[in-house]
Amino acid sequence: MEQYLTVIFRTILFYVLILIIFRLMGKREIGELSILDLVVFIMIGELAIIAIENPKQSITTTSLSMILLMFIQIVMAKVSLKSKRFRDFVDGKPTIIINKGKIDEDAMRKQRYNFDDLLTQLREKDIRSIGDVEFAILESSGSLSVIEKKYNKDGQPQEGDITIPLIIDGKIEEENLKRIDKTNFWLRRELQKMGYQDVRKISFCSYENGKFFVDIIDEM
């Protein structure tokens, strides 16, 4: 009887502790979990299971391990917010699988992503034909974001583009500039025309269909 009471007590205790830890780590949807989040969540869950199944396992030791993992995740999340390079290393980058209606087989090979995967995820979004897709982006979470083609009154497809980040956290995205066949000099010149002299003060700048969107870093 005492053993059952111990299991019940530990189950409730670690259930409450895990709820508190996950709440402190911030709100995330399951599909948006990074590799770092996933590893921490799995380890915390495993620690709780071991402590519940083994009554001899110290509650204090297990709780300290779980809290330590929480602090590691919080610190890493803050580093990720400040460093895009670290963010890309941990989470990876989104990959454009279909660009303006054209499938990028090279990008698929790099991501070890095949046509069965593509068709499955398109069906999940109620898209019957690849020919209806203007853009398909494989997100770092593994989900597929899809933008369908738009047609005018004559039934002809309308050309468009997706939002292309050119500056993130004050740093110019050279790869995205190459993608739109533009240069660093061109970007700085266009920003200066709009009154933005210092790239480092821009938190986010995107370019879509010939138009810029610019957001300045909030001054503390």
Side-chain angles (χ1 to χ4, degrees), residues 71-97:
F71 279 112
I72 290 174
Q73 195 275 343
I74 290 173
V75 170
M76 292 299 184
K78 289 184 177 180
V79 173
S80 178
L81 283 173
K82 294 184 178 181
S83 172
K84 187 177 185 303
R85 183 174 296 180
F86 180 80
R87 206 158 54 230
D88 291 341
F89 174 75
V90 174
D91 297 336
K93 296 181 179 181
T95 302
I96 299 176
I97 301 298

Side-chain angles (χ1 to χ4, degrees), residues 3 30 58 81 86 91 121 150 165 192 202:
Q3 183 178 357
I30 296 300
S58 169
L81 283 173
F86 180 80
D91 297 336
Q121 291 191 292
K150 293 183 179 180
Q192 286 172 2
I202 297 175

Side-chain angles (χ1 to χ4, degrees), residues 29-70:
E29 293 183 14
I30 296 300
E32 295 179 351
L33 294 179
S34 68
I35 294 176
L36 180 63
D37 294 327
L38 192 60
V39 169
V40 171
F41 287 4
I42 291 173
M43 290 183 69
I44 287 176
E46 287 295 323
L47 285 169
I49 291 171
I50 292 171
I52 291 170
E53 292 180 344
N54 184 10
K56 294 181 180 180
Q57 179 76 24
S58 169
I59 289 178
T60 303
T61 302
T62 302
S63 299
L64 283 174
S65 298
M66 293 167 69
I67 292 171
L68 176 60
L69 285 170
M70 178 192 72

Side-chain angles (χ1 to χ4, degrees), residues 91-153:
D91 297 336
K93 296 181 179 181
T95 302
I96 299 176
I97 301 298
I98 300 177
N99 188 4
K100 295 185 177 180
K102 175 70 172 66
I103 298 173
D104 190 336
E105 291 89 356
D106 186 53
M108 291 179 66
R109 282 192 293 270
K110 288 179 180 178
Q111 297 298 321
R112 295 182 291 280
Y113 187 80
N114 57 50
F115 280 98
D116 289 334
D117 297 325
L118 177 60
L119 291 172
T120 297
Q121 291 191 292
L122 288 177
R123 286 194 295 270
E124 289 174 352
K125 296 183 178 295
D126 298 324
I127 295 176
R128 299 180 181 181
S129 171
I130 293 179
D132 295 330
V133 179
E134 183 76 5
F135 294 97
I137 301 99
L138 184 64
E139 306 291 356
S140 55
S141 63
S143 63
L144 188 71
S145 299
V146 178
I147 299 174
E148 296 184 68
K149 290 180 178 178
K150 293 183 179 180
Y151 298 89
N152 57 28
K153 294 180 180 179

